[in-house]
Amino acid sequence: LANVPHGPATVIAGPAPGTGSCWTEIDLDQDAGPLPFQLPPAETFESSNGGYAGDPLWERGAPGPSPGAHSGQRVWATRLQGAYPDGVRAALTSAPIPTAGARSVRLSFSHWYRIESAWDGGRVEVWNGAAWQVVHPLAGYPMSGLAGLDWGPGFSGSSDGWEGALFDISAFAGPDLRIRFVFGSDSAVTDLGWYLDARRRYAFKQAH
């Protein structure tokens, strides 16, 4: 027999090619029928870098046949061809995103990763006005302590193909919101790395 969950739950949908992810809150004891999802359109990296600047490890362009791109042909990746190196720490950082007065700010993106499991990894950080702060996806990071990230949490191991990640970063809304993707590796064993595509930099509703 299967254990059926009860009560409040967060349900995440997406992404499909060309869209970001979204979520809705439901009560498993009361809600039934179709869920009220509307996937937001996403911005790809086809015509520009999307307002991001990367340390030398990060490259924008057409990746190799594995994994390819999720939408179009171009992605940001920790090297478009071949494995990432040992002993690196590199960030892909956004320009300021003005969100002053917003009451809901969300970040979603599609990503594919194959990273030395339990040792190397990538994570998302947000500028809080004084320092960079680690933020967690709604579904949580798959691993909690990675050597390449100073034993902090992150994405590591292998994704199940291209998958979506969704973050609620409403607490950081303001005139100088910035986001960065941080990747770190330890001193031995590498793999293909972390690939990012079809991101939704922000989606928010203005406060009344």
Side-chain angles (χ1 to χ4, degrees):
L1 297 177
N3 291 321
V4 179
H6 295 276
T10 299
V11 181
I12 302 173
T19 73
S21 299
C22 65
W23 85 80
T24 189
E25 304 290 342
I26 65 170
D27 188 327
L28 295 173
D29 295 323
Q30 299 180 20
D31 295 330
L35 297 177
F37 284 127
Q38 183 175 357
L39 296 178
E43 302 168 80
T44 67
F45 301 117
E46 295 302 294
S47 59
S48 74
N49 62 13
Y52 285 82
D55 293 337
L57 177 67
W58 285 94
E59 299 174 336
R60 172 185 164 264
S66 179
H70 184 254
S71 295
Q73 297 180 329
R74 293 178 175 81
V75 301
W76 273 105
T78 53
R79 289 198 171 169
L80 295 168
Q81 305 287 340
Y84 59 85
D86 289 320
V88 297
R89 177 70 69 89
L92 177 67
T93 306
S94 76
I97 303 168
T99 54
R103 66 179 185 182
S104 177
V105 185
R106 303 168 189 175
L107 166 71
S108 73
F109 55 89
S110 303
H111 66 155
W112 183 100
Y113 57 90
R114 208 173 78 192
I115 303 168
E116 183 194 9
S117 182
W119 296 97
D120 303 342
R123 68 186 180 206
V124 177
E125 298 178 355
V126 175
W127 182 252
N128 67 9
W132 289 100
Q133 182 172 326
V134 178
V135 291
H136 294 254
L138 267 65
Y141 286 113
M143 297 191 182
S144 60
L146 301 170
L149 294 174
D150 298 327
W151 301 108
F155 298 107
S156 186
S158 296
S159 62
D160 184 16
W162 282 95
E163 61 182 32
L166 183 61
F167 295 74
D168 185 348
I169 54 175
S170 302
F172 302 93
D176 190 33
L177 173 65
R178 284 177 283 165
I179 298 160
R180 73 178 185 180
F181 300 88
V182 178
F183 183 84
S185 63
D186 66 1
S187 60
V189 184
T190 64
D191 212 319
L192 289 181
W194 197 15
Y195 296 70
L196 307 173
D197 200 357
R199 56 78 176 97
R200 180 72 175 175
R201 288 189 296 174
Y202 54 87
F204 61 89
K205 296 179 181 180
Q206 297 291 340
H208 295 299

